[in-house]
Amino acid sequence: MAFVHPVRVQFFEVDLQGVVFNMWYLAWFDSAMTAYFTDLGFPYDAQTRAGWDVQLVHTEVDWRGSATFGDEVTVEVTVDRIGTTSFTLAYRVLRDEDELVTAKTVYVVIATGGSGKRAIPDDLRTALQATG
């Protein structure tokens, strides 16, 4: 089941073509991922206190349509893949039933102490599997 994160398009997110500038979708995905993790019980400050964080290492984005100023869209988040140290989240940006954008982002779990990547924490893995 998808986690749904609402977004209302702000004026500053729209370019001279009258559509949301492409980089804002990445910001929306980041915001949706943060809200999704909070919903799973992993707010950012709790992650870092537990000694881990996630780092984006790859994103693929496909545009099929455009959002414009004032649109109310939703960003759906689903789990696409879970590995040993990384996981992939899939995103869909919808305006009503119209699919505007799809994306997949790979995140690697890293230790906050600077020692590099680490295994996905067991409690996070369990939460991701339960929603994936």
Side-chain angles (χ1 to χ4, degrees):
M1 179 161 209
F3 174 81
V4 177
H5 181 68
V7 174
R8 182 177 172 94
V9 178
Q10 303 297 305
F11 181 75
F12 66 86
E13 295 169 318
V14 177
D15 63 18
L16 291 175
Q17 297 172 0
V19 298
V20 172
F21 183 64
N22 56 31
M23 71 85 146
W24 287 109
Y25 291 95
L26 295 173
W28 293 353
F29 301 154
D30 191 64
S31 180
M33 185 273 286
T34 302
Y36 171 59
F37 267 41
T38 298
D39 189 65
L40 290 178
F42 299 95
Y44 188 72
D45 58 340
Q47 288 175 200
T48 57
R49 276 196 313 272
W52 61 272
D53 198 351
V54 297
Q55 188 173 64
L56 185 153
V57 296
H58 179 79
T59 296
E60 294 179 12
V61 184
D62 292 300
W63 283 268
R64 294 172 177 79
S66 301
T68 59
F69 172 64
D71 282 351
E72 293 187 15
V73 300
T74 56
V75 179
E76 289 185 352
V77 183
T78 56
V79 177
D80 185 66
R81 187 191 70 75
I82 304 170
T84 303
T85 60
S86 67
F87 59 92
T88 303
L89 297 181
Y91 298 98
R92 288 186 343 136
V93 177
L94 302 167
R95 182 180 48 223
D96 299 320
E97 298 300 316
D98 293 331
E99 184 179 81
L100 303 177
V101 177
T102 59
K104 288 187 180 181
T105 298
V106 179
Y107 301 91
V108 171
V109 178
I110 59 169
T112 56
S115 61
K117 68 181 179 177
R118 57 167 283 187
I120 297 171
D122 291 339
D123 51 352
L124 175 60
R125 176 180 300 281
T126 300
L128 291 170
Q129 289 170 335
T131 63

